[in-house]
Amino acid sequence: MGSNSFRLEIAELAKGRYKRVDYLKETVRLGAGLDSHGLLTEEATQRGLACLARFAQRLRGFAPWQVRAVATQTLREARNRDAFLQRADRVLGHPIEVISGREEARLIYQGVSRLQPSELPRLVIDIGGRSTEMILGHGRTPQRAESFGVGSVSLSIQHFPQGRYTAEYFRSAQIAAGAELEEALTLFGRQQWQEALGSSGTVGAVSQILVANSITDGNITPEGLRWCIEQCLAAGSTEALNLPGLKPERKAVLGGGLSILYTLSQHFDIEALRPAKGALRQGVIFDLEERLEAARNHRLPDPRDTSVRELQQRFRVDQAQANRVRNRALSLWQSLQEPAASADGEDARELGWAATLHEIGMMVSHHDHHRHSAYLLGHVDASGFSQSQLRRLASLVLGQRGELIKLAEHLHDTALMSQVLCLRLALILHHARIELPPKVATLQRARGKARLVLERKWAGMHPRTLHLLEEETRRWAGQGDRQLDIVMA
């Protein structure tokens, strides 16, 4: 779900080979629907929902684990994105993830590197409607990935009023693009790559114009870009512009796209930008494949597991305690047999990650570390995770201790509250930061209640833990979504 277009890609993967089954694209211009207050207008919302309804018809019969929906810059910016996503999830029939700019860049590179392999150091550029992603990579490994807040839709709206073309408008658009991209000069300098590739709509549209007019063979060159700009100036407006190879839906955003491309070519000494075969949507599919393979074969890492380990190292987490809490929380989750849990086991993975990272806030302060942990998880860039999933992990670690009233907005989410319960109980059981017998506690469901069953002999020897657990039952009775009982067996 991009700022300019929504795209649906259906593909088969067999032994690493990619086969497209179907592809749908609609120009939605969601990015043009952000008002001066950063709110998505109802008109733009309706355009997006109507497109998603058509996509939902094509997705009928697909299992949840076969589908992944991601949204980019416009929904990163929109202040009312949660309200839009609630409606969009219902229309599409699948949850929509808002991904960070760096995660978008990583997925773009994954799509390009898998469909257009090369061992040369390469620069990959993707110009979207409201952001531009730049990635340095070698082989299948992205070595640096960044996202910049300038795109063809936003620049066209701001610098080409009423779709008019003048030399001054192009100059101001290029200055604005250069100001946004200037910080990338040292990160993506010419000495660091040997070939440059461009993915997605803007690059493809300009490449088609250059081919249709016999200007280049499809490569985007500074000379070719100057020729395109001259044609725009001669036409004077988008309405009067009539170029072979230019699709009608691309006219409104061509000025902004050309300005970004020309700025990139000049600032980064790009002599020829080749259109790439892959893009974000293929990267999402390859990433989904890796997740599914990891779920089927536990010896293979989920891409997000690597990010979790890196975060542990960055914030110097007590890994022994993190493992104790994680193992106990997952044991309680398994014994609870939560019926609202996701069929693909994603809830269990989220609980494991939250338990593993619950103390990253200790790096900031021991006091209220759960709040620091929640803030960090809600704002960190973590490869493989969407912003939506990181916010869910943030809610889990925020709820690890203290009053439950801070989770009032989540009381309707039975699965999340069950995750919170398992995490809190695991922390109480291991509050002394020591190992415990594996079967010291199990968790059971019982008609709107949760029952923690403790080994009687062990409980008698640990009165302090029992005291903390009794306090926990009072919290759930007054503030939670269920009653918690402690029983001995």
Side-chain angles (χ1 to χ4, degrees):
M1 295 167 57
S3 299
N4 193 51
S5 303
F6 285 12
R7 304 166 191 257
L8 170 63
E9 179 108 357
I10 300 173
E12 291 179 358
L13 287 169
K15 297 181 180 179
R17 299 188 64 179
Y18 188 95
K19 177 185 177 184
R20 176 185 281 179
V21 175
D22 203 358
Y23 173 57
L24 304 177
K25 173 190 171 185
E26 292 192 21
T27 302
V28 176
R29 299 265 161 75
L30 197 69
L34 281 179
D35 65 18
S36 59
H37 301 290
L39 297 172
L40 203 58
T41 65
E42 182 61 24
E43 182 182 0
T45 296
Q46 289 300 328
R47 290 198 302 269
L49 295 178
C51 175
L52 292 177
R54 289 186 283 274
F55 284 3
Q57 293 177 2
R58 181 63 183 85
L59 290 172
R60 285 178 182 169
F62 281 85
W65 60 267
Q66 293 178 290
V67 180
R68 188 174 177 205
V70 302
T72 59
Q73 183 67 24
T74 294
L75 289 178
R76 289 197 285 267
E77 292 182 47
R79 292 171 55 196
N80 57 341
R81 74 173 183 181
D82 290 342
F84 173 84
L85 289 171
Q86 285 180 2
R87 298 166 71 180
D89 287 353
R90 288 195 299 268
V91 170
L92 185 63
H94 297 276
I96 297 165
E97 307 170 42
V98 179
I99 56 176
S100 71
R102 283 182 175 168
E103 178 64 4
E104 181 179 355
R106 184 188 73 87
L107 292 171
I108 288 166
Y109 189 83
Q110 191 160 4
V112 172
S113 64
R114 290 282 292 267
L115 292 183
Q116 200 162 338
S118 170
E119 288 305 313
L120 292 175
R122 52 180 23 174
L123 171 67
V124 175
I125 296 170
D126 186 297
I127 300 171
R130 295 186 72 90
S131 67
T132 294
E133 281 66 48
M134 300 181 70
I135 312 99
L136 277 178
H138 191 272
R140 289 189 181 179
T141 305
Q143 295 165 325
R144 180 174 293 131
E146 297 290 346
S147 179
F148 302 92
V150 59
S152 60
V153 172
S154 55
L155 208 63
S156 296
I157 291 172
Q158 294 166 7
H159 295 277
F160 297 93
Q162 288 82 50
R164 290 183 287 124
Y165 295 130
T166 69
E168 183 58 35
Y169 288 166
F170 269 105
R171 191 175 302 112
S172 67
Q174 290 164 22
I175 290 172
E180 186 66 36
L181 295 166
E182 195 165 28
E183 64 181 280
L185 288 172
T186 54
L187 300 176
F188 300 93
R190 183 63 183 86
Q191 71 280 5
Q192 300 186 65
W193 49 270
Q194 293 182 26
E195 64 174 353
L197 301 175
S199 71
S200 204
T202 296
V203 169
V206 174
S207 176
Q208 289 169 12
I209 293 170
L210 294 174
V211 169
N213 291 274
S214 301
I215 305 300
T216 73
D217 60 356
N219 285 344
I220 298 174
T221 63
E223 296 78 13
L225 290 168
R226 282 193 287 268
W227 180 87
C228 288
I229 292 172
E230 287 168 2
Q231 306 313 301
C232 292
L233 293 173
S237 70
T238 57
E239 289 184 5
L241 186 63
N242 187 20
L243 280 176
L246 175 60
K247 296 177 181 178
E249 65 269 19
R250 274 281 156 191
K251 281 190 176 185
V253 298
L254 183 63
L258 287 171
S259 299
I260 296 170
L261 280 169
Y262 190 73
T263 301
L264 288 166
S265 73
Q266 297 302 298
H267 285 202
F268 296 89
D269 297 323
I270 302 174
E271 299 166 359
L273 184 70
R274 290 197 296 136
K277 293 179 181 178
L280 173 61
R281 57 191 183 277
Q282 289 91 2
V284 170
I285 290 175
F286 287 125
D287 200 61
L288 179 58
E289 177 200 29
E290 290 185 6
R291 291 187 182 185
L292 296 175
E293 285 296 322
R296 285 192 290 260
N297 183 351
H298 295 293
R299 289 175 297 180
L300 296 174
D302 185 299
R304 294 164 292 184
D305 291 335
T306 302
S307 289
V308 169
R309 285 194 296 272
E310 290 172 352
L311 288 172
Q312 276 192 306
Q313 293 168 3
R314 188 193 308 178
F315 294 103
R316 301 178 187 175
V317 166
D318 179 346
Q319 294 193 18
Q321 175 67 356
N323 288 337
R324 283 191 287 265
V325 172
R326 176 185 180 277
N327 292 338
R328 182 67 58 186
L330 290 176
S331 173
L332 294 172
W333 175 266
Q334 187 176 13
S335 64
L336 184 64
Q337 296 181 336
E338 174 57 60
S342 58
D344 58 2
E346 195 73 352
D347 288 328
R349 282 192 285 272
E350 287 175 350
L351 175 58
W353 292 322
T356 301
L357 298 172
H358 76 279
E359 287 188 336
I360 62 173
M362 289 279 197
M363 189 72 171
V364 179
S365 171
H366 280 236
H367 177 67
D368 277 352
H369 72 266
H370 61 296
R371 297 187 183 277
H372 303 311
S373 296
Y375 181 86
L376 290 170
L377 277 174
H379 294 82
V380 74
D381 278 325
S383 179
F385 287 96
S386 67
Q387 289 185 330
S388 315
Q389 192 164 48
L390 287 171
R391 286 196 299 169
R392 188 175 179 90
L393 295 183
S395 297
L396 287 177
V397 299
L398 179 64
Q400 68 181 274
R401 59 185 292 187
E403 302 304 314
L404 288 165
I405 193 68
K406 58 181 171 282
L407 297 178
E409 64 181 286
H410 299 293
L411 290 180
H412 66 282
D413 189 338
T414 305
L416 183 137
M417 293 306 294
S418 293
Q419 291 169 313
V420 169
L421 175 63
C422 292
L423 179 58
R424 291 172 70 96
L425 292 176
L427 280 164
I428 292 172
L429 291 168
H430 289 279
H431 74 280
R433 308 179 90 85
I434 58 174
E435 297 290 343
L436 299 177
K439 297 181 180 180
V440 73
T442 57
L443 194 57
Q444 301 170 354
R445 286 184 301 107
R447 295 184 179 180
K449 297 181 180 181
R451 182 184 295 121
L452 181 67
V453 182
L454 295 176
E455 187 180 86
R456 186 182 299 275
K457 183 178 178 181
W458 179 89
M461 296 171 60
H462 293 83
R464 297 185 186 92
T465 302
L466 205 56
H467 167 74
L468 293 174
L469 288 171
E470 287 169 352
E471 284 192 336
E472 187 69 4
T473 64
R474 288 192 286 273
R475 285 199 177 97
W476 282 90
Q479 302 169 5
D481 69 334
R482 70 198 72 183
Q483 181 177 323
L484 174 63
D485 294 333
I486 308 294
V487 298
M488 311 296 173

